[in-house]
């Protein structure tokens, strides 16, 4: 499985929730995942019921089997200060530039540079190794911008081409693109079984493929259960109200006319929704990508619900590998006992 997992989706499809559940699903049997946020919304902290994330990698949760989920909220200004220190050794001079507003100016006036900084920080985490030559994180998961902006956000090399044709910024952009266009990376798109998000997903896949960025899977989120069997669905969609009323009368149910109308209307609405969802599933199946489905959590997405969604991912074959991408035994070398909870 790709070590860098980018999660995008139309607004309102729950891409942040999916990214968090994916991080938990991949952090099994001693593995470590890093969940990265780039939009400054602190959505990850809210999901894990944590304080706001600082600009540092923090352990947020323990996954079944003893794995760990770490998180990082990448800030473009802080990333630029890191960049200036790394390449130019500015140190206190860089902090002085921040006080003068130069850092904010640079990340605002040149959005391509901003995206290089954000993606570059995530790609650095993907490549980072410890003293034993092992990857520090088995997987890095990015909660990325929405589908409409994802290709431009990731295609940073083109974005900075007109700004920096040579030098460190140009070299950094090329290094980022080597990771983004490699088998290490997969871009997943989150959708609902509704026409607009499905169409935006299809358009996003076309754009990613045109930019030669690796598309992973489609994640269908908030899937509602089908409450009626096929025969009942056909009956409901056919509007056979009189037949149902007669059947209830024969069964001895009094006042069947007043009872039947709201029940049939609800059944008809349900049948119509099922039909529309099937149409959208057919569209998604035609995209030629693997799919995963996550159920609608009726009481909202709590921390315990995140673990349930992660388990759904694992049931569908996500995160069940027995070795990391480098062919190494997962961290710890042996199966650990199950555990869950937020870590300090």
């Amino acid at each position: 499985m790709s070590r860098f997992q980018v999660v995008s989706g139309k607004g309102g499809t729950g891409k942040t929730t999916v990214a968090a559940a994916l991080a938990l699903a991949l952090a099994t049997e001693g593995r470590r995942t890093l969940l990265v946020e780039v939009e400054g919304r602190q959505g990850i902290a809210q999901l894990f019921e944590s304080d706001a994330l600082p600009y540092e990698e923090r352990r947020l949760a323990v996954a079944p089997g003893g794995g760990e989920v770490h998180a990082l909220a990448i800030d473009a200004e802080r990333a630029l200060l890191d960049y200036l220190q790394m390449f130019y050794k500015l140190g206190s001079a860089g902090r002085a530039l921040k006080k003068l507003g130069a850092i904010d100016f640079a990340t605002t006036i040149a959005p391509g540079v901003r995206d290089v900084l954000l993606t570059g920080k995530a790609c650095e985490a993907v490549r980072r190794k410890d003293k034993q030559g092992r990857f520090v994180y088995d997987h890095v998961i990015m909660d990325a911008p929405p589908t409409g902006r994802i290709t431009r956000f990731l295609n940073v090399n083109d974005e900075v081409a007109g700004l920096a044709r040579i030098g460190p910024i140009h070299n950094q952009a090329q290094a980022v693109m080597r990771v983004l266009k490699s088998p290490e990376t997969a871009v997943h798109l989150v959708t609902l079984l509704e026409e607009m998000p499905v169409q935006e997903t299809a358009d996003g896949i076309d754009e990613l493929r045109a930019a030669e960025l690796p598309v992973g899977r489609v994640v269908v989120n908030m899937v509602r259960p089908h409450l009626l069997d096929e025969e009942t669905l056909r009956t409901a969609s056919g509007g056979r109200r009189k037949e149902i009323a007669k059947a209830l009368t024969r069964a001895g149910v009094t006042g069947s006319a007043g009872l039947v109308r709201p029940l049939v209307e609800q059944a008809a609405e349900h049948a119509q929704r099922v039909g529309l969802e099937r149409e959208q599933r057919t569209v998604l199946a035609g995209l030629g990508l693997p799919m995963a489905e996550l159920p609608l959590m009726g009481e909202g997405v709590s921390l315990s619900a995140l673990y349930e969604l992660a388990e759904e991912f694992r049931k569908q074959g996500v995160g069940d590998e027995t070795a990391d991408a480098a062919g190494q035994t997962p961290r710890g070398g042996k199966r650990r006992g199950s555990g869950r909870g937020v870590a300090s």
Side-chain angles (χ1 to χ4, degrees):
M1 172 166 291
S2 303
R3 296 189 56 253
F4 189 22
Q5 313 266 325
V6 180
V7 179
S8 181
K10 179 177 169 54
T13 59
K15 67 179 179 64
T16 300
T17 299
V18 170
L22 180 60
L24 277 169
L26 293 172
T28 56
E29 305 307 324
R31 295 186 186 85
R32 301 177 76 212
T33 64
L34 176 65
L35 182 55
V36 174
E37 184 177 76
V38 296
E39 295 186 282
R41 295 184 294 107
Q42 291 292 336
I44 292 172
Q46 294 174 31
L47 282 171
F48 283 94
E49 301 173 7
S50 167
D51 294 335
L53 296 175
Y55 183 69
E56 62 184 34
E57 293 160 22
R58 170 188 289 181
R59 190 177 69 168
L60 277 187
V62 177
E68 296 179 352
V69 176
H70 295 242
L72 170 67
I74 303 178
D75 175 82
E77 292 187 12
R78 293 289 299 273
L80 182 52
L81 287 173
D82 285 351
Y83 176 86
L84 292 173
Q85 173 61 22
M86 184 182 302
F87 287 100
Y88 297 103
K89 309 300 181 185
L90 287 185
S92 59
R95 291 189 291 274
L97 287 172
K98 177 176 174 61
K99 291 181 180 179
L100 293 172
I103 301 298
D104 181 62
F105 175 79
T107 55
T108 302
I109 202 67
V113 172
R114 179 181 181 276
D115 292 347
V116 170
L117 295 167
L118 294 173
T119 54
K121 186 70 175 177
C123 289
E124 181 276 325
V126 174
R127 297 189 301 259
R128 193 189 314 158
K129 294 185 178 182
D130 59 22
K131 294 180 180 178
Q132 286 72 44
R134 295 176 57 91
F135 288 114
V136 173
Y137 295 106
D138 298 291
H139 296 281
V140 176
I141 298 89
M142 176 189 284
D143 176 20
T147 313
R149 294 195 289 117
I150 187 61
T151 300
R152 184 174 181 179
F153 174 76
L154 294 177
N155 206 20
V156 292
N157 198 41
D158 287 348
E159 288 298 303
V160 302
L163 298 171
R165 298 185 182 277
I166 59 173
I169 291 265
H170 175 79
N171 295 338
Q172 173 76 349
Q174 287 193 320
V176 168
M177 292 310 301
R178 282 194 292 272
V179 174
L180 293 179
K181 291 191 175 184
S182 76
E184 286 187 292
T185 300
V187 184
H188 309 304
L189 296 182
V190 182
T191 187
L192 308 179
L193 288 175
E194 298 173 6
E195 186 174 359
M196 287 187 63
V198 166
Q199 184 59 54
E200 189 163 317
T201 297
D203 293 342
I205 290 170
D206 287 342
E207 292 175 2
L208 289 165
R209 285 171 170 166
E212 299 181 345
L213 290 163
V215 185
R217 70 178 69 216
V218 173
V219 180
V220 184
N221 196 25
M222 303 187 212
V223 176
R224 290 175 287 187
H226 292 175
L227 305 176
L228 305 176
D229 60 31
E230 290 298 320
E231 182 178 354
T232 307
L233 282 172
R234 287 193 296 271
T235 301
S237 60
R240 296 159 63 182
R241 184 180 304 167
K242 290 183 179 179
E243 294 180 27
I244 298 173
K246 289 179 181 178
L248 288 174
T249 300
R250 287 194 299 269
V253 178
T254 59
S256 59
L259 177 65
V260 165
R261 176 174 294 178
L263 290 175
V264 170
E265 288 177 350
Q266 289 184 32
E269 290 176 2
H270 179 75
Q272 182 181 27
R273 175 175 66 79
V274 170
L276 293 173
E277 288 178 349
R278 285 176 174 171
E279 291 177 6
Q280 299 310 313
R281 271 200 176 89
T282 300
V283 174
L284 292 173
L287 298 176
L289 292 172
M291 289 198 298
E293 294 194 6
L294 295 177
L296 175 68
M297 308 305 288
E299 299 181 358
V301 182
S302 63
L303 183 58
S304 61
L306 270 184
Y307 281 92
E308 292 179 29
L309 293 175
E311 181 60 26
E312 285 294 327
F313 265 137
R314 284 191 289 270
K315 287 178 182 178
Q316 296 174 56
V318 179
D320 61 355
E321 298 82 0
T322 57
D324 66 22
Q328 300 164 322
T329 303
R331 249 165 260 279
K334 59 182 179 179
R335 184 180 181 88
R336 302 181 187 180
S338 297
R340 76 162 56 175
V342 176
S344 59

